[in-house]
Amino acid sequence: MKKIIVLLTAFPVILFGQLQYPSTKTVDQKDDYHGTNVSDPYRWLEDDHSAETKEWVEAQNKVTNAYLSQIPFRDKIKNRIEKVYNYPKYSAPFRKGNYYYFYKNEGLQNQSVLYRQDGPTCKPELVIDPNKLSDKGTSRMMQFVLSKDGKYAAYAVSKGGSDWEEIYVMDMQTLKTTADHVEWVKVSDIAWQANGFYFSRYPTPAKEMELSSKNEDHMVYYHKVGDAQDKDQLIFQDKKNLQRFHQASTSEDEKFVFLSVSDRGKGLDGNALYYRAPNEKEFKPIMSEITNFTYNVIDNDETSFIISTNANAQNYKIVRYNTLQAQNGFTTIIAEKKEPIENVSAAGGKLFVSYLKDVTSKVYVYSTKGEQEREIELPGLGTVSGFLGEHSDKELFYVFTSFTFPPTIYKYTISAGKSELFRKPEVAFDASAFETKQVFYTSKDGAKIPLFIICKKGVTQSGTNPTLLYGYGGFNISLTPSFNPLLIPFLEAGGVYAQANLRGGGEYGEVWHEQGMKLKKQNVFDDFISAAEYLIKEKYTDKGHLAINGRSNGGLLVGAVTNQRPDLFKVSIAQVGVMDMLRFQKFTIGWNWIADYGSSDSTADFKSLYKFSPLHNIKAGVSYPAVLVTTADHDDRVVPAHSFKYAATLQTIAGKNTKAPLLIRIDTNSGHGSSNTQKNIDLHADIYSFIFYNMGITPKL
């Protein structure tokens, strides 16, 4: 194998007005997809442990870091982000036994810290400080689940941004961690029952393949407190269907165990659901067939379960399943509405149902019989989360937020049906200086698409405002209004932020989702392109001042539309994107995305995927916008090979005719999301600096 030729210069090399990128070797790799030969010259970059790949990463980072370091206002942007981000952040409290638990971040702590207190206003007691779990603050606590009696808690830790979790147990009387240690956990709940808990794991991966090998054979185990992991009891395994997810949960009273089984690798978007009654060893089916319908248990009593489902109700409904009359199926207690259900929780003997109305939350309180009792008045148009609790709770907490409304915690008294302010954050910015508009623009096929536009009050529609357009459009995920302190410096500098609610998301229920899936994926790209054209038409910006951004599936979005309309944008920011649409299913849990994308194993799907795959549609002889690709070495969800191969191809093919930079930023000890606060701040400072610099704008901060 030939040695890679790299440029390890201290500053970006510019030759004839263009950056000189590290040379990337090619290999003669071709794959036959249903009679079509497809070259994959950078296949070797899929081996993230090889010396050559590591050398390539180092060379790329040197060029990128040198380019970013020459931006004169980079430090100024970073300092402003840190100042705005530096305020105490709290989660909504939740009660267990005699204690209320909550998370707090003092401002710039890399990880939020867990506390408990005897009452909502009593002195807090430290429970776990995740900042002490690793030297650089890159280990995150992903779950903290208390047993029903509050005697123990199991908590899951992710290291360096990986999706792998390790579970530990804490004695809640002494607040000491026990010797219990469970490894290779992924896509798992922690579900307590008696003196142990259920969890899901994969077989131990091969050494140095932990972050890239395909995850198969998802098993459910039961761990008894005090036992070593090798004594854990196997509860469920399906050797005939290795690409299924198996997740266990338990009812609040810990009497019932539920098993959810999904098979997205076969293109099915729903799940089967089983339960195991007290003193029984076998699971009984609630829904034995896996289809495109989902079933989620919300609450239970001695003989029945309350379940949310989209079976014959694309916007979801709430049903009751009676275990004594299983042959009669489900009884609807809250019928489907025009607005999709966003979330359902049960607490204090009530059901709290949040709907999405034009992408903003509406929350109603129902009895467990399905009778609507009241609507909860919210401070405005925004997003609500919370209302988590137990049957015995008399008060709950929820969080309301919007683009310029920092997450504010309210206490809700169930008997009175009243909300009162509990905790309001103090953020160093003037919310009254900004405004949010929601407009509806027309996509290519005539569909009306919602678009939020946030900017300073009084910003003139001059056609030259630096504008950042963000989108996602996939997996039934809704982009609802929420506060992001990292965005404030961009807005303060005169920037316009636009968030498009593209098809493929869940903003208008399953119909909206389906219109952006599989063979209809081009609708998502058309929606995004139409959003850009709308912003230009309405003179918020022009082609020379428009940047686009997306993460993960949104990174795919950005890569695809950059290929399709390179003339429409000045800057393109593709973060942790799915860029190789022909091979995504071959890594970690990529097969899980087949339900949304389809698979190159299918002739029809291949033709569709090949047409928009960002890696395979980079245009020669065309001038591209400035591109910054971002990824991280511990991303085991969308493996960094996607971004590596895309950046190498972009530099080789588009670099010949593009004077703008085509760069890749590869973070270390981080994952699909930044593994700590500082890395997140650094990343956004680089993104905003890259955007302004390539627009020829010096931001005033």
Side-chain angles (χ1 to χ4, degrees), residues 18 40 121 152 364-365 470 502 546 609:
Q18 292 177 297
D40 194 359
T121 59
Y152 292 106
Y364 299 88
V365 182
Y470 186 86
L502 314 171
L546 179 59
L609 294 167

Side-chain angles (χ1 to χ4, degrees), residues 38-89:
V38 179
S39 295
D40 194 359
Y42 304 117
R43 176 73 60 85
W44 61 273
L45 284 170
E46 292 179 359
D47 183 0
D48 58 336
H49 284 283
S50 75
E52 288 189 309
T53 299
K54 291 178 180 179
E55 187 178 0
W56 183 88
V57 167
E58 181 183 1
Q60 291 286 348
N61 268 343
K62 285 196 174 185
V63 172
T64 299
N65 292 337
Y67 180 88
L68 293 171
S69 67
Q70 72 179 345
I71 299 176
F73 45 79
R74 181 191 187 194
D75 288 342
K76 191 174 183 180
I77 288 178
K78 179 181 174 181
N79 291 338
R80 180 57 186 154
I81 291 176
E82 287 181 340
K83 184 174 181 181
V84 176
Y85 200 88
N86 190 11
Y87 66 93
K89 304 169 187 68

Side-chain angles (χ1 to χ4, degrees), residues 622-676:
V622 173
S623 179
Y624 268 63
V627 176
L628 180 63
V629 180
T630 74
T631 186
D633 63 350
H634 277 59
D635 189 348
D636 51 352
R637 193 176 312 174
V638 181
V639 294
H642 282 278
S643 295
F644 292 175
K645 292 163 65 175
Y646 173 72
T649 307
L650 192 67
Q651 290 172 355
T652 301
I653 295 178
K656 296 175 182 178
N657 291 87
T658 302
K659 291 184 179 180
L662 307 172
L663 301 175
I664 181 168
R665 181 189 189 277
I666 306 157
D667 207 348
T668 57
N669 210 22
S670 200
H672 197 61
S674 295
S675 57
N676 65 31

Side-chain angles (χ1 to χ4, degrees), residues 292-466:
N292 284 320
F293 297 141
T294 63
Y295 301 85
N296 298 301
V297 179
I298 305 301
D299 198 9
N300 73 287
D301 55 29
E302 293 294 328
T303 59
S304 67
F305 310 129
I306 295 176
I307 295 171
S308 70
T309 180
N310 62 347
N312 303 311
Q314 292 192 324
N315 288 339
Y316 282 84
K317 62 185 177 182
I318 311 298
V319 300
R320 185 181 295 277
Y321 178 84
N322 192 322
T323 61
L324 302 180
Q325 300 175 339
Q327 67 277 7
N328 295 329
F330 303 98
T331 302
T332 298
I333 60 174
I334 302 178
E336 177 187 20
K337 289 187 177 182
K338 180 181 178 182
E339 297 80 19
I341 290 177
E342 180 185 20
N343 189 46
V344 186
S345 61
K350 307 291 182 184
L351 298 177
F352 295 83
V353 186
S354 175
Y355 292 87
L356 276 183
K357 182 175 177 59
D358 287 333
V359 206
T360 59
S361 296
K362 295 282 186 181
V363 183
Y364 299 88
V365 182
Y366 291 85
S367 72
T368 54
K369 294 181 179 180
E371 302 157 331
Q372 184 177 317
E373 296 181 350
R374 59 175 58 91
E375 178 180 358
I376 296 178
E377 276 192 46
L378 302 176
L381 298 179
T383 304
V384 168
S385 60
F387 295 107
L388 301 178
E390 300 184 337
H391 288 135
S392 59
D393 283 335
K394 295 180 171 25
E395 60 186 21
L396 304 172
F397 298 86
Y398 66 92
V399 179
F400 177 84
T401 183
S402 191
F403 290 108
T404 57
F405 196 103
T408 302
I409 302 171
Y410 294 85
K411 183 173 75 171
Y412 180 79
T413 304
I414 298 175
S415 59
K418 298 290 184 182
S419 298
E420 60 181 287
L421 179 65
F422 179 73
R423 182 171 283 135
K424 180 180 179 180
E426 299 294 333
V427 188
F429 90 112
D430 181 8
S432 66
F434 302 93
E435 62 180 351
T436 300
K437 300 176 185 177
Q438 186 185 38
V439 300
F440 293 81
Y441 65 90
T442 304
S443 190
K444 183 178 180 179
D445 63 354
K448 294 294 183 181
I449 312 297
L451 177 70
F452 288 103
I453 302 173
I454 304 92
C455 59
K456 276 184 177 179
K457 289 180 180 177
V459 164
T460 59
Q461 289 170 234
S462 61
T464 58
N465 298 307

